Amino acid sequence: MYDFQGKLSKLGISGTLYRLYVAAIELGEAPISDVATRAGLVRTTAYDALSRLEEEGLVVIVKRGNKRIVVAEDPSVLLERIEARKQMLNEVMPELRSLYNRAKGKPRIRYHEGREGILIALKDTLSIKGPNPTLLGILSMDELRDVPGLEEMEDFIAARKEKQIWLRVIRSRTKDVASIWPSDSGDLRNLRFAPENVLLSMTTFIYDDKVCLISSMRENYGMIIESVEFATMQRQLFEALWMTSSKT
């Protein structure tokens, strides 16, 4: 025998809610007192339960004269409700998993392949939090020219400036492709060049408890490592290299 009531119960429609919802569907539209009577409930008990059904979009309560009428909605709203909740869960799942992993002491690694993946990783750096946000960056200009490309990087700079995010950046002279992006308070940028014997062949951003890595076109990926310990170590390495780098 098909367990109709049991199936709806798994969707959160059980007990009083189930009885009222079925009564509302059977009547189509009727005064609250009639729906309550058909469900075998007193009207005062039915009010709160019907309000919950209305919040779920399963019924609508309208006023006609001196009466409040319950109008059953098309049951397909149940599918719409599930899809909406699924979409909402998909949106919040990355943050929920991040919280879960941090609570478990596990690092979180997100790998994004291709040019679009690199842009996703790059955009994540703009999520930096806190007052006076400052990105720490190691830029390999030769690789950035190829992917994501200088035009995309200019868009990134504009977005960074709009969010008032400073960038402390170290570059290798041998990897620079042109005399662009100098130290400039207007561009919120403080630039230093690494010692001649240090070749920076991969772009790295350090922010909050995250490290964003952007590869060359050959490997073609962007990766975000979310780990307090790893970000702390990378920050310390950056500061050590910063101290030995020059302004000109």
Side-chain angles (χ1 to χ4, degrees):
M1 182 177 177
Y2 182 71
D3 186 7
F4 177 67
Q5 183 173 351
K7 297 291 185 183
L8 282 180
S9 177
K10 290 181 179 179
L11 295 175
I13 305 172
S14 61
T16 302
L17 291 179
Y18 169 78
R19 291 160 65 183
L20 283 169
Y21 182 48
V22 171
I25 291 176
E26 290 174 343
L27 293 173
E29 59 177 80
I32 289 179
S33 58
D34 291 358
V35 177
T37 299
R38 191 173 187 90
L41 300 168
V42 297
R43 189 168 58 178
T44 52
T45 302
Y47 273 120
D48 289 342
L50 284 170
S51 294
R52 286 184 57 189
L53 289 174
E54 187 175 35
E55 288 175 2
E56 295 289 349
L58 299 175
V59 302
V60 176
I61 301 175
V62 297
K63 191 171 183 180
R64 291 179 185 168
N66 296 323
K67 293 185 177 182
R68 298 180 70 188
I69 306 298
V70 179
V71 181
E73 292 284 55
D74 190 308
S76 64
V77 74
L78 286 168
L79 288 174
E80 295 172 5
R81 184 181 66 164
I82 291 171
E83 287 300 321
R85 288 183 174 180
K86 183 178 179 181
Q87 182 177 348
M88 188 189 311
L89 279 172
N90 285 334
E91 291 173 358
V92 302
M93 190 57 67
E95 188 63 26
L96 285 175
R97 291 201 62 84
S98 177
L99 290 171
Y100 174 81
N101 288 334
R102 284 201 293 270
K104 293 290 186 179
K106 298 177 182 177
R108 180 186 176 211
I109 300 174
R110 284 177 282 167
Y111 177 83
H112 303 283
E113 194 169 5
R115 183 173 178 275
E116 290 303 315
I118 286 174
L119 290 173
I120 290 172
L122 187 63
K123 183 179 179 180
D124 189 79
T125 66
L126 300 177
S127 69
I128 184 172
K129 301 177 179 64
N132 305 314
T134 301
L135 286 173
L136 306 182
I138 293 174
L139 267 61
S140 180
M141 298 288 283
D142 195 18
E143 278 70 30
L144 289 176
R145 175 192 60 186
D146 294 329
V147 60
L150 296 184
E151 184 176 345
E152 293 288 357
M153 287 301 297
E154 289 290 353
D155 291 341
F156 169 74
I157 292 169
R160 179 177 61 78
K161 288 168 59 180
E162 183 177 352
K163 290 177 175 288
Q164 290 294 295
I165 299 172
W166 270 86
L167 172 66
R168 291 172 59 204
V169 58
I170 304 172
R171 304 200 314 240
S172 294
R173 293 185 187 280
T174 54
K175 286 287 183 178
D176 268 22
V177 293
S179 298
I180 57 175
W181 308 340
S183 287
D184 187 333
S185 58
D187 279 348
L188 309 182
R189 184 189 304 108
N190 192 352
L191 167 67
R192 288 192 181 185
F193 289 99
E196 293 296 329
N197 63 331
V198 177
L199 181 64
L200 305 174
S201 58
M202 190 171 188
T203 292
T204 304
F205 290 99
I206 307 161
Y207 54 108
D208 299 331
D209 56 357
K210 300 178 186 178
V211 178
C212 171
L213 304 171
I214 296 176
S215 77
S216 66
M217 181 179 285
R218 182 171 64 86
E219 295 192 354
N220 205 24
Y221 70 86
M223 183 164 59
I224 300 167
I225 301 174
E226 190 170 350
S227 163
V228 173
E229 292 183 2
F230 186 68
T232 298
M233 182 187 71
Q234 292 298 312
R235 190 171 282 107
Q236 291 170 344
L237 291 173
F238 176 92
E239 295 295 352
L241 183 57
W242 181 266
M243 293 299 293
T244 61
S245 298
S246 61
K247 297 181 179 179
T248 57

